[in-house]
Amino acid sequence: MTFADLLVQLVNGLAQASTLFLLASGLSLIFGVTRVVNFAHGSFTMVGLYAAIAMAERLGGAAGFWLALPLAALAVGVLGAVAEMLILRRVYQAPELFQLLATFGLVLVLKDAALWLWGPEDIFGPRAPGLSGSVELAGLAVPAWDLFLIALAPLLLLALEALLARTRWGVLVRAATEDRHMVGALGVNQAWLFTGVFALGSALAGLAGALQMPREPASLGLDLVTVTDAFVVVVIGGLGSLRGAFLAAALVGVVKTLCFALGGVEMGGTTFNFSKLTLVVEFLLMALTLVLRPWGLAGRAPAAAQESPALVEWVRVPGVRFAAGAGAALLAAAALPLLADEYAVVLATDIAVFALFAVSLHFLMGPGGMAPFGHAAFFGVGAYAAGLLAQAAWPMAAALLAAPLAAAAAGLAVGWFCVRLSGVYLAMLTLAFAQIAWSVAFQWDDVTGGSNGLVGIRPAPWAADKAHFYWLVLVFGGTALALLWRVLQSPFGFALRAARDNPRRAQALGIDARRVQWLAFPAAAAAAGLAGALFAYSKGSLSPEAMGIARSVDGLVMVLLGGLHTLAGPVAGAALFTWLQDEIIRRTDYWRLILGAVILLLVIAFPRGVVGGLRHAWKERS
Amino acid sequence: MALLEAEQLRKRFGGVAAVDGVSFAVAAGERVALIGPNGAGKSTCFNLVGGQLAPDEGHVRLHGHEVTGTPPRGLFRLGVGRTFQVAAAFASMSVVENVQLALLSRAGRAFGALARAVTAFRAEARALLLRTGLDALADRPCGQLAYGDVKRLDLALALANQPRLLLMDEPTAGMAPAERHALMALVSAIARESGLAVLFTEHDMDVVFGHADRILVLDRGRLIAAGDAATVRADPEVKRLYLGEAAEGPS
């Protein structure tokens, strides 16, 4: 690698950083004022890129290209304002997890809207008129568009800072970022302030998308890739800080390209390939930041304790009747292969696997009172552990016992970091760990098979029959479920709820609240890992998607469908979700739209979950 | 030997000396009230003794052993019980389950993951509830209790480790006047029976003069008077502090 190569990569990295800053500044502004971490931010970028290409083509010529940039940003700003008024306004008072979920519902809806409008194929945009060539720089050819982007970021930072410092609106935005209750108490119309900030943030995201026209094609996968990058930058820089976002964007952009530029490096006799780290490195930076400086490089600890209203309800300890009911349900489930066809048995296997996954997530969310947004990591670790052991010719039974142990070890490590944070910061850190796990699976080709994944994970001959495997899942999953429920009724389960209900009281009673929450992680992770291992054997193959963001979100939807305050809720939620998804996917290409709408409905209309909500309504009536 | 000794405690917040060289002692069986106007340093002083804050200087000793800066959960193991100004127990549990968890923690069994919690220490928990007048409410969800009963439950939890020192921060705040004296009479009876030392802060002077053996008066971080009710009432400094303020109207 020559110095010249490095310089070219550096320009590329800074151009990326510029885009990252545009993304992150909008996300950060929105978070600062509304305290909502907007998952749909990347979707606005995606829509911005599609819209800009469509407009540039419709308008035509050089003027069309340059006009399309602000027009696309404006259109996305309006879209953001509408989304804020229809959806986000209703979840400002909800716990962080509900807010994240609501904005994820928006992600799904926007993705299918883009699919309907622009189709599944990637669309290439026009090159920038006048800036399509390259510029000679120290004897090197550097793309002119990249230099344009690099110049844009600092100008935008100055413009935004001027907006916030010089205008009355900007002063209100800064005041709301400091203390939004005070701003409300002073008689400022908060609703319009929030809508305005959301529109501006969305417009910035749209502009970031539009500016990608000459660099990359518009594609439907852009939303999640973009938003996770933006999360990383905002968290490293400090939620709510523009300068922090600027610094962090430069840091992430440069470090990523450096990894790519370094390539294979000889170290102690073996070649270490740094280019395989491009995905994982940004999440490592984010995790490191959250651990060392939880409020980011330039962020500050929130002024007032931002505790969301605790979702604490009385929980009756289940007795003999609950155990008898659960046993009867298990027996009924076991009779299924005698009555139904193979399709139903395979679906029921999926339901049983995801029920275990949902119950393990509920363990942390409900009794644990935490907001994990990356539970798929443990599912994935269990699945990959089983897959790798199967390839190493371990017997299935041994692999099914070892996989939960591997996941528990991951839970112990991840949990140690996570319990030091709370609320949205904990959610972000779990997300970072899940993305690290996903990146490792995606980029470590030699071991995990990369994006192709692992194949040939066959169950033992005695369990190869679909019905036999289903019974095996019921036995393993039922045992794990019973154990988790048992733990909830144990002193440890009580201590876990105590740490959630009133941590100060728990400390004064000699209970180490943080330690209790920490140890809840390996327990939940082991169960999720077992679900992952059973999943791997039931499908016969694995891909990194097994631990993607979508899987974590599926789990959250299942738990919220069932409700946080019922033990059986997550099982019902998993059954309903898995069955519905199967039905919908068979009937339409737009299943995401329906899932997204269901999520939005759930979060806005049924914050207690469907089962919990119906039960509550029943109690209110009687 | 005194059960609790505080020696030359100092704590500053920025430029303000919240507690500025306070020393006192509490003997077994003694009920000591810590009073003073708002901002006198009562809460800070109380939190230094209770382990919520660590002092900049000075010592806290329990039975002659240094416990300065020991966190609340360590003090629990050393026989210190604590109630809170805004009492709140564990809302997702019933009244008796709250006490059972406290008893499990005392026994070092709060991390047991397979035993059933609802059957553990049930009799002992019921006995504590009987003692604190909550027996009839044992199976109520704790979120449904009247505030006075939450205060009693807070006391029951604080007594679960059979403490030798009970720290009560504003024990009667938010309670009806009749309930206040009933609660403090109960505390006094328990202190008499078991030789329990009680240190409490309180705003209600009727409660203070009626239930404290000794009163410590703080003003601007310093101890300005100490003694029994009669001594403190007669103290000119205290008179100036309280009557002077009263003459200017309630603050």
Side-chain angles (χ1 to χ4, degrees):
Chain A
M1 146 131 245
T2 63
F3 178 71
D5 291 339
L6 190 69
L7 205 68
V8 169
Q9 287 298 338
L10 204 63
V11 168
N12 183 30
L14 286 175
Q16 268 189 34
S18 181
T19 307
L20 282 176
F21 169 66
L22 244 70
L23 282 168
S25 59
L27 192 63
S28 202
L29 273 175
I30 291 173
F31 177 84
V33 173
T34 65
R35 300 281 147 193
V36 169
V37 175
N38 180 22
F39 233 113
H41 205 68
S43 309
F44 290 140
T45 307
M46 176 190 75
V47 172
L49 179 50
Y50 273 112
I53 293 175
M55 287 175 190
E57 270 174 13
R58 180 69 57 88
L59 299 169
F65 177 91
W66 292 107
L67 263 177
L69 296 176
L71 282 179
L74 191 70
V76 174
V78 171
L79 180 67
V82 171
E84 196 274 344
M85 287 190 280
L86 289 180
I87 298 160
L88 282 137
R89 233 173 232 196
R90 293 163 213 281
V91 298
Y92 286 139
Q93 302 304 322
E96 298 92 351
L97 214 49
F98 284 68
Q99 298 174 341
L100 275 172
L101 211 60
T103 58
F104 195 82
L106 201 54
V107 169
L108 296 173
V109 171
L110 289 176
K111 198 195 264 284
D112 269 3
L115 172 66
W116 181 71
L117 275 171
W118 293 297
E121 303 294 329
D122 290 4
I123 300 179
F124 285 86
R127 315 194 66 182
L131 289 175
S132 60
S134 51
V135 176
E136 193 88 355
L137 200 75
L140 294 164
V142 173
W145 187 250
D146 282 7
L147 292 178
F148 174 72
L149 285 181
I150 293 174
L152 201 62
L155 288 178
L156 201 83
L157 175 67
L158 290 178
L160 283 175
E161 290 203 323
L163 177 72
L164 291 183
R166 302 279 166 78
T167 66
R168 181 180 143 73
W169 188 78
V171 171
L172 287 180
V173 167
R174 279 190 300 148
T177 306
E178 291 283 321
D179 188 340
R180 57 174 163 162
H181 298 295
M182 196 60 212
V183 172
L186 290 175
V188 173
N189 185 339
Q190 276 197 82
W192 284 111
L193 184 65
F194 281 31
T195 307
V197 168
F198 211 88
L200 175 64
S202 308
L204 286 169
L207 182 63
L211 287 169
Q212 299 312 301
M213 265 196 291
R215 276 173 69 93
E216 61 176 318
S219 72
L220 292 171
L222 216 56
D223 50 359
L224 282 187
V225 178
T226 309
V227 79
T228 44
D229 281 353
F231 277 166
V232 167
V233 170
V234 171
V235 168
I236 293 176
L239 284 160
S241 159
L242 282 181
R243 285 179 180 224
F246 188 77
L247 271 177
L251 183 72
V252 169
V254 170
V255 169
K256 271 181 93 161
T257 43
L258 272 185
C259 278
F260 189 73
L262 277 172
V265 171
E266 202 79 26
M267 281 199 311
T270 55
T271 309
F272 187 79
N273 195 348
F274 275 94
S275 63
K276 299 272 175 198
L277 281 178
T278 47
L279 284 176
V280 89
V281 74
E282 61 181 272
F283 296 109
L284 282 175
L285 277 175
M286 168 171 163
L288 202 68
T289 308
L290 279 172
V291 171
L292 297 179
R293 280 182 71 100
W295 324 119
L297 295 179
R300 271 182 300 161
Q306 283 177 32
E307 279 168 28
S308 56
L311 289 166
V312 175
E313 269 177 39
W314 180 47
V315 178
R316 189 196 294 273
V317 172
V320 182
R321 262 175 59 190
F322 180 83
L330 192 69
L331 277 181
L336 184 86
L338 309 175
L339 308 168
D341 60 359
E342 193 175 279
Y343 187 85
V345 172
V346 171
L347 181 62
T349 306
D350 278 358
I351 288 178
V353 165
F354 287 117
L356 180 58
F357 178 59
V359 167
S360 76
L361 177 60
H362 171 260
F363 190 83
L364 294 179
M365 286 171 69
M370 292 177 272
F373 212 86
H375 203 56
F378 306 127
F379 185 88
V381 168
Y384 269 88
L388 292 172
L389 291 174
Q391 292 200 331
W394 277 42
M396 181 180 72
L400 284 180
L401 291 175
L405 291 180
L412 206 61
V414 169
W416 190 86
F417 293 106
C418 288
V419 295
R420 278 154 178 75
L421 302 173
S422 64
V424 73
Y425 292 90
L426 183 142
M428 291 286 107
L429 186 58
T430 52
L431 178 69
F433 279 118
Q435 288 306 98
I436 288 172
W438 176 84
S439 314
V440 169
F442 194 82
Q443 285 194 317
W444 201 8
D445 294 306
D446 301 342
V447 174
T448 61
S451 56
N452 295 324
L454 300 173
V455 290
I457 309 163
R458 284 183 230 298
W462 53 268
D465 179 72
K466 296 290 180 207
H468 291 174
F469 190 80
Y470 170 64
W471 283 324
L472 176 97
V473 171
L474 285 187
V475 169
F476 271 83
T479 308
L481 211 95
L483 273 173
L484 272 188
W485 282 347
R486 179 79 194 188
V487 169
L488 284 182
Q489 298 170 37
S490 73
F492 179 80
F494 275 53
L496 187 62
R497 266 157 57 199
R500 171 199 65 183
D501 290 1
N502 192 343
R504 217 161 53 118
R505 213 344 156 190
Q507 298 282 3
L509 289 177
I511 295 166
D512 188 342
R514 191 180 269 183
R515 194 181 165 84
V516 172
Q517 290 182 321
W518 176 35
L519 292 178
F521 268 86
L530 177 63
L534 290 168
F535 176 81
Y537 276 107
S538 80
K539 300 295 169 201
S541 64
L542 266 182
S543 75
E545 290 319 301
M547 53 174 126
I549 295 175
R551 165 104 340 119
S552 293
V553 171
D554 286 354
L556 292 170
V557 176
M558 290 172 196
V559 171
L560 295 179
L561 263 173
L564 273 178
H565 300 290
T566 52
L567 274 183
V571 178
L576 191 62
F577 180 87
T578 312
W579 175 72
L580 268 180
Q581 197 181 33
D582 182 72
E583 287 289 315
I584 297 170
I585 289 178
R586 272 197 290 166
R587 283 179 171 74
T588 165
D589 288 338
Y590 295 100
W591 63 274
R592 285 190 202 88
L593 182 76
I594 296 172
L595 176 60
V598 167
I599 291 177
L600 291 174
L601 188 74
L602 245 180
V603 172
I604 292 168
F606 290 98
R608 290 163 195 276
V610 171
V611 176
L614 291 179
R615 220 174 52 159
H616 185 75
W618 180 254
K619 266 195 273 181
E620 295 280 286
R621 265 186 53 195
S622 53
Chain B
M1 190 207 311
L3 182 78
L4 170 72
E5 280 174 280
E7 187 191 316
Q8 288 297 315
L9 290 178
R10 274 175 222 277
K11 182 76 184 176
R12 301 182 72 86
F13 294 109
V16 184
V19 172
D20 195 8
V22 171
S23 301
F24 60 88
V26 183
E30 197 183 21
R31 297 161 304 162
V32 175
L34 196 57
I35 67 169
N38 283 331
K42 295 184 305 266
S43 292
T44 306
C45 197
F46 201 73
N47 287 333
L48 291 176
V49 174
Q52 272 81 18
L53 292 173
D56 298 334
E57 280 174 53
H59 301 275
V60 181
R61 296 194 193 88
L62 205 62
H63 277 291
H65 296 289
E66 183 82 35
V67 295
T68 319
T70 305
R73 81 187 124 75
L75 291 177
F76 173 86
R77 304 260 164 248
L78 296 171
V80 177
R82 152 113 213 211
T83 68
F84 292 86
Q85 179 175 2
V86 180
F90 307 124
S92 69
M93 301 174 205
S94 72
V95 170
V96 68
E97 286 167 358
N98 265 272
V99 182
Q100 284 174 295
L101 178 60
L103 293 168
L104 279 162
S105 174
R106 180 195 69 186
R109 285 174 49 194
F111 279 82
L114 291 174
R116 264 177 79 82
V118 280
T119 50
F121 296 112
R122 207 167 166 90
E124 204 176 332
R126 292 303 287 248
L128 252 173
L129 290 179
L130 195 63
R131 189 73 190 87
T132 44
L134 288 171
D135 193 46
L137 303 175
D139 290 314
R140 280 283 180 87
C142 153
Q144 292 178 9
L145 294 184
Y147 190 63
D149 291 327
V150 179
K151 282 275 190 184
R152 280 173 184 271
L153 178 55
D154 203 21
L155 175 63
L157 292 176
L159 292 173
N161 63 336
Q162 294 170 330
R164 290 171 299 181
L165 172 66
L166 181 61
L167 300 175
M168 305 183 85
D169 194 5
E170 302 276 348
T172 70
M175 292 176 94
E179 280 184 306
R180 297 182 178 199
H181 286 285
L183 182 81
M184 290 313 288
L186 174 65
V187 171
S188 298
I190 293 169
R192 242 189 340 269
E193 284 163 22
S194 56
L196 174 69
V198 182
L199 177 69
F200 66 103
T201 63
E202 183 59 61
H203 266 108
D204 183 334
M205 287 306 137
D206 284 347
V207 169
V208 171
F209 287 118
H211 297 279
D213 302 313
R214 213 148 51 80
I215 299 164
L216 308 171
V217 188
L218 280 179
D219 181 35
R220 278 171 282 178
R222 290 169 180 279
L223 202 58
I224 59 162
D228 61 15
T231 316
V232 166
R233 269 203 184 101
D235 190 283
E237 278 279 292
V238 177
K239 269 188 182 164
R240 188 191 51 76
L241 188 64
Y242 275 90
L243 296 180
E245 267 191 0
E248 286 163 22
S251 56

